[in-house]
Amino acid sequence: GVMVMAHMNYIAYNPMTEEKIEFKTLPKVASYFGIGESTLRRWVLYGMPIAELAEEQDKPRLEAIQSKLKGFEIYKGTEWSEFNDM
């Protein structure tokens, strides 16, 4: 349904602390962690961690993102519910 798509939320989850934060929109995630929205969009789109896929010149930028995330991983709400229905 259309309603499900409209309610596209994001989950930030820290596997170490088991802390979970829900966000309604990607810009909210971006501002919470202080990461550029377009950067975060790519990060979420390609999945985490993408550090292994990165070109060498991208490594410092990716490490900067990871340090800003402070151990949190970002999931689309739909992915999160799939993981947790197993």
Side-chain angles (χ1 to χ4, degrees):
V2 179
M3 286 301 292
V4 177
M5 286 307 295
H7 184 67
M8 180 59 165
N9 62 333
Y10 294 86
I11 308 292
Y13 179 71
N14 186 330
M16 299 296 287
T17 63
E18 297 190 353
E19 188 182 352
K20 178 183 160 209
I21 311 171
E22 283 196 50
F23 297 92
K24 285 267 185 276
T25 62
L26 198 63
K28 285 199 169 75
V29 184
S31 64
Y32 181 87
F33 288 106
I35 300 168
E37 193 185 328
S38 60
T39 304
L40 190 62
R41 190 172 305 264
R42 280 198 300 275
W43 180 270
V44 171
L45 203 62
Y46 298 125
M48 294 83 40
I50 53 173
E52 291 80 41
L53 306 175
E55 302 295 323
E56 279 303 315
Q57 68 266 22
D58 290 335
K59 287 259 166 69
R61 198 165 54 108
L62 289 171
E63 281 161 15
I65 294 170
Q66 277 179 318
S67 72
K68 283 182 178 177
L69 286 172
K70 298 179 178 69
F72 279 88
E73 295 169 12
I74 311 298
Y75 298 94
K76 296 191 196 94
T78 47
E79 294 172 336
W80 180 261
S81 48
E82 282 167 24
F83 289 143
N84 291 281
D85 287 345
M86 289 191 246

